[in-house]
Amino acid sequence: MTPEPALERALSTIDVHPGRGWQQELTVGERLTLPRGAAALVYVRAGELTGATHRSACTVDAAAGTATTVDGGRTLLAGDAFLSLGCHDLALASRSGAEVTVVPLELTPTAETRALPPLVFVSGFAHAEPAAAGLAAHLGIAHDTGGRTGDDTICKLMVTTVLLTALRLWASSDGDATWPPRSDDPFLSRVVAAIDADPGREWSIDQLAALGAMSRSVFAARFREVFGTSPAAHVTEVRMRRAKQLLNAGTPVSETSRALGYASDEGFRRAFRRHTGVAPSAWRAGRRTLVG
């Protein structure tokens, strides 16, 4: 499935930080419990998990490319995956035993993450995305107690790949999904479109407020209310999204820095590291290692 460019741009803004993952074996009747506030990726390596879902959960049939809202019982089999954004308590029990990989996630709140369903179940995940499923199956091993430290950068990229793959399956098959989420306010939409078209411009709050035909204070409050972030933070998100696209295409760090309006390469490197946790060169090297 090939997502629309708007979806691809929206997905690239999601900033995820994986915690220390683990592999777990569940005996017959044993429960896997995720408390409210605990976002996590879970991949079923063997067996099954069954439990109740919440009204706003979404299930994707990866083979058929369809998505539906579910309310009630849900069973996950080997090769299935699910994402919980931590909006609800969640408990799934294994009736016959199961082997799972669990990776806790910390997602930076953005307009995109707020538009996601709190639970996404992906059936046939391993069949539709065998490479990503292979990564999911091995997550948690890199931090075992046998002295294997692993590579934190690659671990983060692996989790990000699995996360975005599952979300892409959901959003691409959900005809009602709009990515990125838009405001009904035409003035705010004009501001967002201007930033997206020229992220390298030195946008000030006064310029953005004037573009939105509002006073500075009203604009800042309205923008945060609608998008869940400040105008300055949104500009940074758009710049980092574009930076990833440029770096992934092979654009040198210095050229990327200039294209995005940074006064120095070092300033760009600091901003990129704050946003992703790694330097631009390390991020690009990690991407190459992952896809290679």
Side-chain angles (χ1 to χ4, degrees), residues 6 23 27 75 84 112 115 145 159 162 174 204 214-215 257 279 288 292:
Q23 296 192 356
T27 59
T75 298
S84 172
E112 284 75 26
T145 57
V159 173
V162 176
D174 185 351
S204 68
M214 304 178 202
S215 69
S257 172
R288 288 173 176 170

Side-chain angles (χ1 to χ4, degrees), residues 10 13-15 85 107-118 167 179 181:
T13 69
I14 296 176
D15 187 20
L85 298 188
L107 279 78
T108 301
T110 65
E112 284 75 26
T113 58
R114 290 182 177 86
L116 300 174
L167 297 181
W179 287 80

Side-chain angles (χ1 to χ4, degrees), residues 41 46 77 109 115 130 137 163 226 233 258 272:
L41 164 72
L77 304 176
L163 173 69
V226 172
R258 290 193 299 273
F272 193 90

Side-chain angles (χ1 to χ4, degrees), residues 149-210:
T149 59
D151 186 321
D152 290 341
T153 300
I154 298 301
C155 182
K156 177 177 179 177
L157 291 171
M158 288 164 64
V159 173
T160 303
T161 298
V162 176
L163 173 69
L164 298 191
T165 299
L167 297 181
R168 186 176 289 111
L169 285 169
W170 166 72
S172 297
S173 58
D174 185 351
D176 295 329
T178 300
W179 287 80
R182 298 296 183 184
S183 167
D184 293 332
D185 187 325
F187 298 101
L188 285 181
S189 295
R190 183 167 63 190
V191 171
V192 170
I195 296 171
D196 191 63
D198 189 10
R201 183 171 176 175
E202 190 176 351
W203 293 105
S204 68
I205 187 69
D206 292 325
Q207 290 174 321
L208 295 173

